[in-house]
């Protein structure tokens, strides 16, 4: 049996898939002698090693300062199981077993007990984890002073040790806290308790669009009328944010929450930034750390300082595409390959899908996904008007 490490997030030029074959001994780090070169200043020259022995796969940390993590727990030596999440520096990969060319789906080993669960951190009692991303973990918590349930987001320990990462996390919370809109998850507060950096926000009982997609529907995605209803609400959220001069910079299906009532809310605003701040101060992060590559516009990959409201319109367009088809428009074995496909608009055309999507709806999505910003809708308001025209023509005004 063979295996692979599939990149979830990481530095530019990192391989999307690292094949692991029988007898392999694969060295990962930022040194030129490594088998997998990761241009990440948080990593050691030789950071960790994956070794196969008798059909079992072991991960070894090479006594690094930053550490190597499996499912959130720091390790020195760990046998890997299917779907384990490996973290080193700003890189996150998932371990997959492969048999006869197909990924083996097995339940992930139960992770060690989360040390934050049950803790009282300031005004909050942490109850249970409800989500995990590349930079943070989200918990359900109770705010003591207001006797209410909140979502309690904690910056991952590996990033909390980096002053620049801490500041970006808190800055995103401050920018998002000014947003008060029914289609945006409300940020309540941000702060620090000991070595824990957190933000608290409205608790939304529902699923992400990505989770809804996974449950099936036409072609593996959502029905067109449902995508329309969600997209219209996201356009409303973007109109509001645009009026305040804020861009989200990471719109994707997993950042769109849908309640049972059909109410949709945009979440995960750590990357949110004021347009004038981008223009005046720039952004000192490598482009690969800004947003999620399969849903990002080319300008955000190449020059983050050029990002504006049209960049969010592009990401909403790619999200609509993903919600309809069940998968993002762009994929590849390396980041370079994905960027090349984004720049060439090399994705499976709507006419290749056997989906009951009106051509006019596809036209709206494809315009939003235009490679060049000047070819997209100039503002979210124009996108909303185009969506409404489609809705009126097909009786979807209320998301039906």
């Amino acid at each position: 049996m063979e295996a692979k490490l599939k990149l979830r997030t990481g530095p530019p030029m990192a391989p999307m898939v690292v094949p692991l074959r029988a007898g392999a001994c694969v060295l990962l780090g930022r040194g030129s002698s490594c088998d997998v070169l990761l241009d990440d200043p948080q990593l050691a020259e030789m950071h960790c090693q994956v070794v196969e022995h008798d059909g079992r796969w072991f991960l070894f940390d090479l006594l690094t300062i930053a550490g190597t993590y499996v499912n959130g727990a720091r390790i020195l030596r760990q046998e890997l199981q299917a779907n384990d999440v490996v973290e080193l520096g700003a890189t996150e990969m998932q371990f997959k077993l492969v048999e006869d060319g197909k990924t083996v789906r097995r339940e992930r080993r139960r992770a060690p007990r989360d040390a934050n669960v049950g803790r009282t951190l300031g005004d909050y009692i942490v109850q249970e984890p409800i989500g995990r991303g590349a930079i943070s973990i989200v918990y359900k918590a109770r705010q003591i002073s207001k006797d209410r349930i909140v979502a309690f987001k904690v910056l991952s320990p590996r990033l909390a040790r980096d002053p620049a990462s801490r500041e970006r996390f808190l800055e995103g919370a401050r920018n998002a806290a000014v947003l008060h809109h029914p289609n945006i998850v409300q940020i309540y507060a941000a702060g620090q308790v000991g070595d824990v950096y957190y933000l608290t926000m409205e608790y939304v009982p529902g699923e992400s669009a990505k989770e809804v997609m996974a449950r099936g529907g036409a072609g593996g995605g959502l029905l067109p009328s449902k995508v329309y209803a969600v997209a219209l609400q996201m356009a409303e959220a973007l109109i509001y944010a645009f009026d305040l001069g804020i861009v989200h910079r990471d719109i994707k299906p997993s950042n769109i929450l849908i309640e049972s009532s059909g109410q949709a809310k945009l979440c995960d605003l750590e990357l949110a930034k004021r347009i004038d701040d981008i223009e005046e101060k720039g952004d000192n992060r490598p482009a690969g750390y800004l947003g999620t590559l399969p849903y990002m516009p080319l300008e955000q990959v190449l020059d983050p300082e050029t990002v504006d409201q049209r960049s969010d319109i592009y990401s909403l367009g790619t999200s609509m595409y993903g919600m309809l088809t069940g998968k993002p428009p762009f994929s590849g074995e390396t980041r370079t390959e994905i960027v090349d496909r984004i720049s060439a608009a090399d994705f499976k055309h709507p006419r290749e899908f056997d989906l009951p999507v009106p051509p006019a709806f596809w036209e709206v999505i494809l315009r939003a996904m235009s490679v060049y910003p000047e070819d997209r809708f100039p503002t979210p308001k124009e996108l909303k008007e185009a969506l409404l025209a489609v809705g009126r023509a097909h009786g979807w005004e209320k998301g039906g």
Side-chain angles (χ1 to χ4, degrees):
M1 183 178 293
E2 297 183 345
K4 62 184 177 182
L5 287 170
K6 185 176 181 181
L7 187 73
R8 295 175 64 167
T9 186
M13 312 307 291
M16 298 301 292
V17 177
V18 177
L20 303 170
R21 297 183 173 85
C25 181
V26 179
L27 181 64
L28 297 87
R30 61 182 176 87
S32 58
S33 61
C34 290
D35 302 298
V36 179
L37 180 61
L38 299 168
D39 185 17
D40 181 347
Q42 297 184 52
L43 301 187
E45 292 283 328
M46 294 183 289
H47 195 91
C48 64
Q49 196 167 37
V50 181
V51 178
E52 187 273 342
H53 179 71
D54 288 341
R56 300 161 68 191
W57 297 88
F58 296 89
L59 176 66
F60 296 87
D61 177 76
L62 301 180
L63 302 179
T64 60
I65 295 175
T68 301
Y69 295 77
V70 175
N71 300 332
R74 188 165 183 167
I75 61 97
L76 288 176
R77 174 187 181 276
Q78 178 72 57
E79 182 178 358
L80 294 174
Q81 304 292 331
N83 298 322
D84 278 349
V85 176
V86 176
E87 298 172 87
L88 42 150
T91 301
E92 184 176 296
M93 297 177 163
Q94 189 163 32
F95 178 75
K96 300 282 189 178
L97 289 172
V98 180
E99 188 170 19
D100 296 329
K102 296 182 180 180
T103 300
V104 177
R105 299 190 179 277
R106 295 180 181 172
E107 287 190 9
R108 186 188 305 169
R109 177 201 313 113
R110 179 174 294 180
R113 186 181 184 279
D114 191 315
N116 284 327
V117 173
R119 290 182 68 186
T120 299
L121 294 170
D123 192 29
Y124 306 93
I125 300 174
V126 180
Q127 295 184 345
E128 61 179 321
I130 56 176
R132 182 185 180 90
I135 68 170
S136 59
I137 302 174
V138 184
Y139 300 90
K140 184 178 179 181
R142 178 172 292 280
Q143 185 175 6
I144 300 169
S145 62
K146 293 186 179 295
D147 191 26
R148 66 179 176 184
I149 297 297
V150 300
F152 188 84
K153 177 173 287 191
V154 175
L155 185 65
S156 72
R158 60 189 172 86
L159 294 180
R161 290 190 292 269
D162 175 41
S165 295
R166 296 197 298 262
E167 177 54 30
R168 284 193 292 265
F169 180 76
L170 296 176
E171 180 191 18
R174 289 192 293 268
N175 286 333
V178 304
L179 302 175
H180 299 272
H181 189 273
N183 298 120
I184 297 176
V185 172
Q186 177 64 50
I187 302 294
Y188 295 140
Q192 173 189 1
V193 177
D195 59 355
V196 175
Y197 292 81
Y198 71 88
L199 66 85
T200 62
M201 54 192 170
E202 171 189 6
Y203 175 72
V204 179
E207 298 178 287
S208 72
K210 182 178 180 181
E211 291 171 321
V212 177
M213 286 161 50
R215 291 197 279 104
L222 282 69
L223 293 172
S225 60
K226 301 303 180 185
V227 176
Y228 164 82
V230 170
L232 190 60
Q233 293 179 75
M234 291 301 97
E236 293 279 12
L238 294 186
I239 290 170
Y240 175 79
F242 173 59
D243 287 343
L244 294 177
I246 290 176
V247 287
H248 186 285
R249 305 197 295 176
D250 196 22
I251 296 173
K252 56 186 176 181
S254 59
N255 282 344
I256 299 171
L257 302 182
I258 305 173
E259 299 183 68
S260 58
S261 64
Q263 177 89 349
K265 292 177 178 280
L266 185 60
C267 68
D268 273 20
L269 291 106
E270 293 98 329
L271 291 183
K273 203 170 183 74
R274 295 184 180 275
I275 295 175
D276 53 2
D277 284 347
I278 297 172
E279 294 170 347
E280 293 173 11
K281 304 175 187 176
D283 200 306
N284 59 6
R285 265 175 293 190
Y289 290 103
L290 286 167
T292 303
L293 191 57
Y295 296 98
M296 284 169 60
L298 185 63
E299 71 270 14
Q300 190 169 344
V301 177
L302 301 180
D303 186 1
E305 293 183 33
T306 64
V307 168
D308 62 21
Q309 73 281 358
R310 296 170 297 179
S311 305
D312 279 350
I313 288 171
Y314 178 93
S315 295
L316 180 53
T318 53
S319 296
M320 285 189 278
Y321 180 105
M323 286 188 281
L324 284 169
T325 65
K327 56 186 177 182
F330 304 103
S331 61
E333 292 298 310
T334 66
R335 285 178 173 263
T336 300
E337 186 177 344
I338 295 177
V339 172
D340 286 345
R341 289 180 175 173
I342 291 173
S343 64
D346 180 13
F347 55 86
K348 190 173 180 180
H349 195 276
R351 61 174 170 265
E352 299 179 58
F353 292 98
D354 183 21
L355 296 173
V357 181
F361 195 13
W362 276 126
E363 288 175 10
V364 171
I365 294 170
L366 293 178
R367 182 177 175 188
M369 289 175 57
S370 296
V371 174
Y372 301 106
E374 58 268 25
D375 294 331
R376 301 172 200 154
F377 297 98
T379 69
K381 183 178 180 180
E382 280 79 9
L383 171 60
K384 175 190 171 182
E385 290 172 351
L387 287 169
L388 285 172
V390 173
R392 284 190 295 268
H394 295 278
W396 295 345
E397 293 93 338
K398 296 183 179 179

